[in-house]
């Protein structure tokens, strides 16, 4: 029997809305997603989020609920983190590791009750994550994949005001990484149940809103009705997270990297750090000092011309007007300010090691290191 030329891409419940807005669509993690919108373009979308407020469709991300006796201890087996002191309705960024210490995925974990946690996992890792979790799952804990849910991210310095203006919710009390749950009666023809977390992956203040896929198009349109909100595609989302030095799974971290190599020791419980070998290399920030853009795979050279690594992700920073990136380098080359070269189209471009984030975080009360 003849095979199809390609596997059809999945679509989020907002797909038709993106098409109607004139989005440039493209494949990402098995989904047909908006890369950018023609009325602004990538550069202006990036700048709009930094100065106003952007709305992103991130419904391709996986949403999982773990519920049952011993769920906290179970999560501490899956990750190198401790959740003992995590308050109710608080989120924690962490990584899930395999038996060799390699990173299966990075994820957000939110504590709903003592016996219930909510996880947001990467789109491209959903199948393997769920398979891995299920293979370790004790009988006392139930796993529910919320495939009928959507996720919208509202990011930018005006996000709090937009939530109040559009949805009528005053979230000024909500701290960074905190969760609000509630219903919005009669907002869009009936009650809408929302989970709103004050977090995101841009370094700006903002929220991620989880809801039923059925409710998402109406909430999306409501948010876009505000004159300070613009739709933002995945291309600008990538440049925004790159300026913050945040990891992109499959590029900056994967199953061949450990949390210590990835400079993510801060997510680890102190008594777990020794479980992982002392790394010989480290993820660092790099900045070009001359014209050129360092993309993923670009070779990194020492001052003497020795091949010492390669760029894991990189691009142009619209905020600081420089080419920036991340790379894994031997420890002896990782000192801030260390001079290096990066090969770009056959040219050796001078560069140096820079501390991340490249742009200060503006999340509400956040540590710059925490996404």
């Amino acid at each position: 029997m003849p095979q199809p030329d390609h596997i059809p891409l999945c679509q989020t419940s907002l797909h038709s809305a993106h098409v109607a807005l004139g989005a440039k669509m493209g494949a990402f993690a098995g989904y047909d997603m908006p890369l950018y919108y023609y009325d602004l373009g990538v550069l202006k979308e990036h700048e709009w989020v930094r100065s106003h407020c952007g709305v992103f469709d991130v419904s391709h991300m996986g949403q999982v609920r773990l519920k049952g006796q011993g769920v906290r201890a179970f999560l501490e087996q899956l990750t190198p983190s401790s959740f003992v002191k995590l308050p109710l309705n608080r989120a924690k960024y962490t990584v899930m590791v395999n038996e060799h210490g390699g990173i299966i995925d990075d994820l957000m974990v939110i504590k709903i009750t003592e016996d219930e946690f909510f996880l947001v996992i990467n789109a491209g890792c959903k199948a393997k994550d769920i398979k891995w979790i299920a293979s370790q799952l004790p009988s006392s804990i139930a796993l529910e994949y919320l495939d009928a849910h959507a996720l919208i991210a509202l990011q930018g310095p005006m996000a709090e005001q937009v939530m109040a203006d559009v949805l009528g919710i005053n979230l000024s009390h909500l701290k960074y990484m905190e969760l609000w749950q509630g219903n919005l009666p009669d907002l869009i023809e009936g009650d809408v149940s929302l989970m709103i977390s004050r977090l995101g992956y841009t370094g700006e203040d903002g929220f991620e809103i989880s809801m039923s896929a059925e409710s998402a198009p109406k909430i999306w349109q409501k948010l876009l009705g505000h004159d300070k909100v613009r739709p933002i595609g995945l291309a600008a989302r990538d440049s925004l997270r790159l300026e913050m030095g945040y990891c992109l799974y499959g590029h900056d971290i994967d199953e061949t990297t450990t949390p210590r190599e990835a400079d993510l020791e801060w997510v680890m419980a102190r008594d777990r750090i020794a479980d992982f070998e002392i790394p010989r290399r480290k993820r660092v920030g790099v900045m070009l000092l001359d014209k050129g853009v360092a993309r993923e795979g670009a070779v990194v050279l020492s001052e003497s011309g020795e091949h010492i690594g390669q760029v894991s992700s990189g691009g142009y920073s619209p905020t600081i007007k420089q080419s920036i990136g991340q790379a894994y380098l031997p420890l002896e080359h990782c000192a801030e300010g260390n001079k290096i070269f990066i090969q770009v189209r056959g040219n050796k471009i001078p560069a140096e090691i820079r501390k991340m984030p490249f742009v200060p975080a503006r999340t509400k009360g956040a540590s710059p290191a925490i996404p």
Side-chain angles (χ1 to χ4, degrees):
M1 185 174 179
Q3 296 296 313
D5 293 335
H6 65 279
I7 299 173
L9 295 172
C10 298
Q11 297 180 359
T12 73
S13 60
L14 295 171
H15 186 271
S16 60
H18 301 314
V19 173
L21 287 167
K24 168 63 176 177
M25 307 295 290
F28 183 83
Y31 283 78
D32 192 29
M33 297 296 292
L35 304 180
Y36 59 88
Y37 299 84
Y38 285 104
D39 61 337
L40 283 184
V42 180
L43 177 61
K44 289 184 178 179
E45 285 182 13
H46 181 115
E47 294 171 340
W48 187 269
V49 173
R50 292 276 184 244
S51 60
H52 297 84
C53 190
V55 62
F56 303 76
D57 178 14
V58 288
S59 302
H60 58 314
M61 304 285 281
Q63 300 182 63
V64 175
R65 182 181 288 123
L66 292 176
K67 191 172 184 179
Q69 186 176 2
V71 66
R72 177 186 60 77
F74 175 62
L75 281 169
E76 291 174 346
Q77 294 174 10
L78 291 176
T79 75
S81 299
S82 172
F83 299 95
V84 172
K85 296 182 180 180
L86 187 66
L88 297 182
N89 296 315
R90 288 294 297 271
K92 187 180 184 71
Y93 173 82
T94 187
V95 293
M96 189 159 52
V97 294
N98 59 27
E99 62 271 27
H100 306 296
I103 299 173
I104 297 172
D105 198 6
D106 62 332
L107 65 157
M108 201 65 71
V109 176
I110 303 175
K111 185 176 184 180
I112 306 299
T113 70
E114 293 296 335
D115 296 321
E116 181 180 348
F117 284 73
F118 178 75
L119 282 56
V120 179
I121 57 181
N122 278 303
C125 300
K126 287 188 291 191
K128 72 166 185 174
D129 285 4
I130 292 170
K131 183 178 180 180
W132 175 256
I133 295 170
S135 72
Q136 315 290 312
L137 200 66
S139 59
S140 62
I141 299 173
L143 183 156
E144 182 184 4
Y145 172 45
L146 305 175
D147 57 344
H149 276 55
L151 193 64
I152 292 174
L154 188 72
Q155 300 283 290
M158 303 189 71
E160 183 181 293
Q161 187 60 52
V162 169
M163 293 295 283
D165 292 346
V166 176
L167 301 184
I169 309 173
N170 181 359
L171 296 175
S172 59
H173 66 284
L174 200 67
K175 297 177 183 178
Y176 181 62
M177 303 290 269
E178 277 191 342
L179 171 72
W180 177 93
Q181 297 186 75
N183 293 329
L184 298 182
D186 303 321
L187 180 68
I188 53 173
E189 302 172 5
D191 284 7
V192 176
S193 178
L194 301 177
M195 291 177 59
I196 302 175
S197 305
R198 192 166 206 147
L199 49 82
Y201 222 57
T202 66
E204 295 295 332
D205 188 22
F207 307 90
E208 289 191 354
I209 310 165
S210 174
M211 73 218 82
S212 69
E214 180 183 43
S215 302
K218 296 175 183 178
I219 294 290
W220 176 267
Q221 292 301 329
K222 285 280 186 181
L223 292 171
L224 282 180
H226 197 288
D227 63 357
K228 300 301 182 183
V229 178
R230 294 289 183 90
I232 310 296
L234 294 186
R237 177 177 166 87
D238 188 54
S239 57
L240 289 159
R241 70 91 199 164
L242 185 61
E243 287 186 341
M244 301 312 302
Y246 296 160
C247 296
L248 178 63
Y249 192 84
H251 302 262
D252 305 305
I253 50 175
D254 57 30
E255 294 194 34
T256 69
T257 57
T258 70
R260 297 189 72 177
E261 288 177 314
D263 199 28
L264 294 175
E265 287 186 357
W266 56 271
V267 310
M268 306 171 71
R270 289 185 180 179
D271 60 357
R272 292 294 306 279
I273 293 176
D275 295 345
F276 296 78
E277 292 183 2
I278 296 173
R280 297 180 180 179
R281 60 175 188 159
K282 206 89 167 183
R283 180 178 64 93
V284 295
V286 297
M287 180 181 290
L288 267 64
L289 303 178
D290 205 343
K291 292 182 178 180
V293 178
R295 301 292 184 186
E296 179 180 355
V299 171
V300 181
L301 306 170
S302 68
E303 270 198 298
S304 63
E306 177 190 3
H307 183 169
I308 56 174
Q310 64 182 38
V311 173
S312 55
S313 66
Y316 177 74
S317 165
T319 303
I320 59 178
K321 315 300 183 188
Q322 294 283 112
S323 175
I324 58 175
Q326 301 178 32
Y328 280 87
L329 301 180
L331 291 184
E332 61 268 27
H333 295 282
C334 291
E336 185 180 353
N338 188 44
K339 304 300 182 183
I340 54 174
F341 291 97
I342 299 179
Q343 288 189 339
V344 178
R345 297 183 178 179
N347 298 315
K348 290 171 54 178
I349 308 296
E352 67 180 25
I353 307 302
R354 289 292 180 93
K355 184 179 180 180
M356 297 185 287
F358 299 98
V359 174
R362 298 196 296 182
T363 48
K364 189 170 183 178
S367 163
I370 303 176

